[in-house]
């Protein structure tokens, strides 16, 4: 069983930065998704177990960086140049393997989420 616990959310002004973390046990392909009020859960970024392969949504590419520290069983999402439209609950997700990395249904394991609010 894979257990995921997110941390690091909060309130920040537009243009600021936040770093999300996810404590994650297991050898998994991992990702971050986000969900805005009244919207579907959207893909943000994904990373393979080695950390060598990463994927990003167009809306965050160049501003967000996904990384992992397998020695500490931790996944990170560094978010820079934050915008009000980045406001959402951010979820950490994991799967054993997938080719459809941007599809929420491909991930059987989820954290409870952490709120990120960006003020204008």
């Amino acid at each position: 069983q894979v257990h995921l616990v997110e941390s690091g959310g909060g309130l920040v002004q537009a243009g600021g930065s936040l770093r999300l973390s996810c404590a994650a046990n297991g050898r998994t392909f991992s990702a971050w998704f986000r969900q805005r009020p009244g919207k579907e859960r959207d893909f943000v970024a994904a990373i393979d177990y080695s950390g060598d392969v990463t994927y990003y949504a167009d809306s965050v590419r160049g501003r967000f960086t996904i990384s992992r520290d397998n020695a500490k069983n931790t996944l990170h999402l560094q978010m820079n140049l934050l915008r009000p439209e980045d406001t959402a609950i951010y979820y950490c997700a994991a799967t054993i393997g997938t080719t459809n990395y941007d599809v929420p249904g491909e991930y059987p394991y989820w954290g409870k989420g952490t709120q990120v609010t960006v003020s204008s």
Side-chain angles (χ1 to χ4, degrees), residues 1 3 13 31-32 38 45 66 70-71 73 82 85 92 99 101 103:
Q1 187 73 12
H3 297 282
Q13 288 188 331
W32 291 95
I66 189 171
N70 290 334
N73 289 332
L82 282 161
E85 54 264 39
C92 176
T99 55
Y101 56 83
V103 177

Side-chain angles (χ1 to χ4, degrees), residues 1-4 28-29 31 92-96 104 106-111:
Q1 187 73 12
V2 177
H3 297 282
L4 306 173
T28 61
F29 183 97
C92 176
T95 184
I96 301 303
E106 292 288 306
Y107 296 84
Y109 307 107
W110 291 85

